[in-house]
Amino acid sequence: MADTATPAQVETGETRRDFLYLAAGAMGAVGAGAVAWPLIDSMNPSAEVLALSSTEVDLSPIAEGQRITVTWRGSPVFIDHRTADQITQAEDVAVATLPDPESDADRVQRSEWLVVIGVCTHLGCVPLGQKTGQNRGEFGGWFCPCHGSHYDTSGRIRRGPAPTNLPVPPYEFTGDTTIVIG
Amino acid sequence: MSGFQTNNTVIKWIEHRLPIFSFLDHSVGSGYPSPKNLSYFWNFGSLAGITLVIMIVTGVLMAMQYTAHVDHAFESVERIMRDVNYGWLLRYVHMNGAHFFFIVVYIHIFRGLYYGSYKAPRELLWMLGVVILLLMMATAFMGYVLPWGQMSFWGAKVITNLFSAIPFFGDGIVVWLWGGFSVDNPTLNRFFALHYLLPFVIVGVVILHIWALHRFGSNNPIGIDTKGPQDTIPFHPYYTVKDAFGLGAFLVVFSAVVFYLPNYMGHADNYIPANPLSTPAHIVPEWYFLPFYAILRAITFDIGIPFTGVVIIEAKLGGVIAMFGAIAVLFVLPWLDRSPVRSGRFRPIFRLFFVLLAIDVVLLGFAGAKPAEGLWLLIAQVSTAYYFLHFLVVLPLLSVFETPKPLPTSISEPVLKGGGGAMAGAPAKPMEKA
Ligand code: HEM
Ligand code: FES
């Protein structure tokens, strides 16, 4: 044990010391990582922020053609009671031609109710179109004034710098006219 | 080396144990020989340092009154404005101090660009300066979020969202930055903590910056090295007094703005409390970010392999890369401009392009303030292209093809010849202190 390198080891230049050096270094790196992780992770959303993450919405007061905004996890969620016209518009698009191809059916649970997160996928502005009289863009959905993104009646990006469609949050119909988002 | 002398026994006692007095003397005293031909452009370094101190003093005092909570932040700032004794003064000095800080630092940077202060042996000095610029930008950005007005909120949202452009990890990083699923209370809290911390990090980097400066001393308007004592004067009293005069001039302008136009450089929308459900019609960052904001928005096209439709870099990511790239080129500038002549005074063609660059950056600033569409978008795109061409193509080419004018043999020469014809041969005599 007291011997250091055997002649063979000397030839390849590897010694027990090199091995110990590497092993200790690797352990040190793992240790540093293990210490760093809690520090980094402390900045991630905390338990009480995560706990606040579902919102119940009563849909009954929303008339056809009307849109309302609710808050879910600090972001606006657009709920659109779509008219028959708007639904056909959304369904009659050749999906393959879209910047972010997705069919309307994949984005709704019941076609008269569209639920999307009202945060522009470009840089996070809230698109216009929720209030009557606001610019709804060229495709009748929403228009983001920040850098000019147009969304259609399915909340899909049609023109402008936004890369993807308005995301659909996880939600569930808990009754005929109530949904729980989150 | 230590020319520091004193008869004061207390100072001697301390100096023997902690040589801080000779250190100060070498830094800003008579023990620091400076080129004797420095112009007023050399005032802006000390002005930047003093502005940093002003920001820290007013900031710490305001932090004693400020509440970093989404429900109280806006009101606590209004309370500072209305109820706290001289709170309005603290805030207006801090707010406008940020603007003037950037004015001063931008002049300081352009001074360096023109006189080649980034060239050997001052590369690290220059790079530390760019680090300070980055830290200042982060500090100012987070400070602007603290009053929690509409621009605070939406500026924070748009800028943090930039990180979502990073492939794969983007969304995770943004949630991590926010500490939630949107810009919210956790975000405000951490921004306050960092806004308090970063200025002191800046102080640390400034010390390194000055340390590197004193290794070889200041550059000067003709950009040649000092050749000996005949080319230098002691920093104190000559430049301490000149810096003090410059400070006076600066404070006159600064006070005029603080007292008569305190909101001139700000945006009115930031006096509306933040509303996460409604975006202001027109989000603009503070003016000092506008050129970079224009570059960010100039990339409206995907970058990919031509004619295949394969996208390598989406427009959004492209904009972010271009924006950070605009600062990254400054880091490598000492290796892009290889001309051995430092000062633009002796580089006729460089000088022309330098003016173009200055105009280019101003144009970018204007474009950044306008909606990114139509003519302004085009201007932003052309200016962005020129910005990068200047650093990546023009400067490397000029280093090879430009014939510089003959350099004076010493700093004293152009002074002694008194604007007349070249005084051939005659070596400069130490004749300062006329
Ligand atoms: C590099 C130096 C600094 C810069 C560039 C800077 C920049 C800014 C800016 C732009 C604002 C927003 C002003 C407004 O529109 O109301 C601000 C606010 C604030 N800063 Fe700083 N700051 C610096 C240092 C500090 C320090 C050291 C503190 C100490 C804690 C501090 C504390 C505050 C506080 C409490 C506010 C909120 C009050 C207000 O909005 O006026 N700042 N800062
Ligand atoms: S944030 Fe909507 S277009 Fe840029």
Side-chain angles (χ1 to χ4, degrees):
Chain A
M1 274 303 263
D3 293 358
T4 40
T6 67
Q9 284 171 324
V10 171
E11 238 161 62
T12 56
E14 290 167 20
T15 60
R16 187 176 347 199
R17 184 162 300 190
D18 287 337
F19 171 76
L20 286 174
Y21 182 73
L22 274 177
M27 261 330 275
V30 171
V35 171
W37 177 245
L39 304 182
I40 295 170
D41 193 40
S42 75
M43 283 173 67
N44 268 321
S46 55
E48 110 285 2
V49 169
L50 293 172
L52 285 179
S53 50
S54 74
T55 301
E56 195 183 68
V57 188
D58 177 12
L59 301 178
S60 53
I62 310 169
E64 193 178 309
Q66 202 186 352
R67 292 171 171 180
I68 67 154
T69 308
V70 298
T71 314
W72 174 63
R73 301 205 304 199
S75 296
V77 170
F78 295 165
I79 300 177
D80 184 6
H81 192 170
R82 300 192 293 183
T83 61
D85 253 8
Q86 289 172 325
I87 297 171
T88 10
Q89 262 182 46
E91 286 170 349
D92 282 359
V93 177
V95 173
T97 64
L98 295 173
D100 181 14
E102 220 182 343
S103 75
D104 187 57
D106 289 341
R107 296 177 51 79
V108 291
Q109 295 182 12
R110 299 184 191 171
S111 59
E112 65 276 27
W113 294 104
L114 176 73
V115 181
V116 287
I117 297 178
V119 175
C120 181
T121 57
H122 182 226
L123 292 177
C125 293
V126 176
L128 300 176
Q130 285 298 94
K131 299 204 178 107
T132 40
Q134 277 181 346
N135 186 352
R136 292 188 169 190
E138 273 169 46
F139 300 87
W142 289 268
F143 171 68
C144 181
C146 289
H147 316 96
S149 288
H150 300 255
Y151 295 93
D152 67 11
T153 55
S154 189
R156 288 173 300 203
I157 179 66
R158 298 297 287 272
R159 194 136 66 71
T164 56
N165 302 333
L166 294 180
V168 178
Y171 69 97
E172 205 181 327
F173 278 87
T174 50
D176 243 10
T177 56
T178 34
I179 58 170
V180 173
I181 305 172
Chain B
M1 173 113 180
S2 173
F4 177 73
Q5 300 285 331
T6 178
N7 292 323
N8 184 318
T9 45
V10 177
I11 292 183
K12 271 187 183 157
W13 188 92
I14 298 175
E15 173 70 19
H16 185 64
R17 286 151 182 87
L18 174 73
I20 186 155
F21 293 101
S22 55
F23 174 77
L24 285 175
D25 189 53
H26 285 307
S27 307
V28 287
S30 49
Y32 177 44
S34 313
K36 63 182 180 187
N37 60 337
L38 298 185
S39 69
Y40 274 110
F41 279 113
W42 269 258
N43 276 57
F44 289 87
S46 74
L47 278 183
I50 293 165
T51 315
L52 179 60
V53 173
I54 294 176
M55 295 307 286
I56 290 179
V57 171
T58 51
V60 169
L61 288 171
M62 274 201 298
M64 298 175 186
Q65 311 283 347
Y66 171 80
T67 313
H69 188 284
V70 289
D71 295 336
H72 306 291
F74 187 87
E75 275 155 44
S76 77
V77 171
E78 285 311 301
R79 193 187 140 262
I80 291 174
M81 293 297 291
R82 293 157 198 238
D83 294 347
V84 174
N85 300 327
Y86 294 104
W88 58 272
L89 184 61
L90 292 178
R91 172 150 187 263
Y92 278 159
V93 167
H94 197 78
M95 202 168 113
N96 288 290
H99 293 289
F100 276 82
F101 203 1
F102 277 94
I103 294 175
V104 165
V105 164
Y106 282 151
I107 294 176
H108 189 65
I109 292 173
F110 270 86
R111 186 280 317 261
L113 286 173
Y114 183 72
Y115 293 109
S117 302
Y118 46 84
K119 292 186 186 176
R122 298 189 180 81
E123 300 96 325
L124 277 181
L125 170 59
W126 170 261
M127 291 164 84
L128 286 166
V130 181
V131 171
I132 295 172
L133 175 66
L134 278 173
L135 287 168
M136 272 177 68
M137 290 177 141
T139 307
F141 163 66
M142 289 192 262
Y144 193 61
V145 176
L146 302 185
W148 208 244
Q150 272 290 66
M151 281 295 162
S152 300
F153 181 89
W154 290 101
K157 185 125 192 206
V158 168
I159 299 301
T160 47
N161 254 311
L162 291 178
F163 292 91
S164 69
I166 298 167
F168 310 115
F169 309 107
D171 291 326
I173 291 176
V174 172
V175 168
W176 176 72
L177 286 173
W178 287 342
F181 300 98
S182 155
V183 172
D184 211 328
N185 201 44
T187 326
L188 177 60
N189 262 295
R190 62 190 56 185
F191 277 21
F192 182 48
L194 292 173
H195 185 71
Y196 208 135
L197 170 69
L198 287 187
F200 296 92
V201 177
I202 295 180
V203 170
V205 183
V206 166
I207 290 173
L208 294 180
H209 188 73
I210 294 174
W211 191 1
L213 170 69
H214 287 178
R215 184 86 176 86
F216 297 100
S218 300
N219 185 27
N220 65 80
I222 59 177
I224 62 174
D225 293 330
T226 52
K227 302 260 157 58
Q230 74 277 13
D231 286 342
T232 64
I233 45 176
F235 189 85
H236 180 73
Y238 294 101
Y239 286 115
T240 38
V241 85
K242 188 174 178 181
D243 279 345
F245 175 73
L247 175 65
F250 169 81
L251 289 179
V252 168
V253 182
F254 183 53
S255 312
V257 173
V258 165
F259 292 108
Y260 295 102
L261 296 162
N263 289 302
Y264 179 72
M265 289 184 276
H267 198 295
D269 275 19
N270 221 28
Y271 284 100
I272 303 170
N275 177 358
L277 298 186
S278 150
T279 313
H282 202 119
I283 302 182
V284 260
E286 298 276 82
W287 67 266
Y288 38 81
F289 291 132
L290 288 176
F292 300 100
Y293 194 56
I295 292 176
L296 167 75
R297 298 186 306 170
I299 313 297
T300 50
F301 41 85
D302 295 339
I303 297 165
I305 306 165
F307 312 117
T308 57
V310 177
V311 175
I312 299 172
I313 300 174
E314 277 187 350
K316 182 166 152 185
L317 181 60
V320 176
I321 292 176
M323 184 179 72
F324 285 107
I327 293 186
V329 289
L330 295 179
F331 268 110
V332 290
L333 175 59
W335 294 275
L336 294 171
D337 178 3
R338 310 297 312 231
S339 167
V341 176
R342 292 198 191 103
S343 173
R345 233 182 240 185
F346 305 102
R347 303 184 61 194
I349 312 180
F350 167 85
R351 208 165 168 162
L352 222 76
F353 281 106
F354 176 84
V355 174
L356 261 183
L357 178 72
I359 296 173
D360 186 69
V361 171
V362 172
L363 266 181
L364 278 172
F366 277 103
K370 298 283 189 303
E373 55 197 28
L375 186 61
W376 280 111
L377 177 61
L378 191 69
I379 291 176
Q381 288 172 333
V382 173
S383 312
T384 301
Y386 180 72
Y387 183 91
F388 285 103
L389 278 178
H390 179 92
F391 288 107
L392 298 176
V393 179
V394 174
L395 289 185
L397 287 182
L398 277 188
S399 343
V400 180
F401 292 109
E402 183 185 40
T403 319
K405 291 200 240 166
L407 293 176
T409 49
S410 79
I411 284 179
S412 305
E413 191 198 78
V415 185
L416 291 180
K417 78 188 178 196
M423 219 169 66
K429 282 256 151 51
M431 279 181 60
E432 69 270 30
K433 291 186 192 159

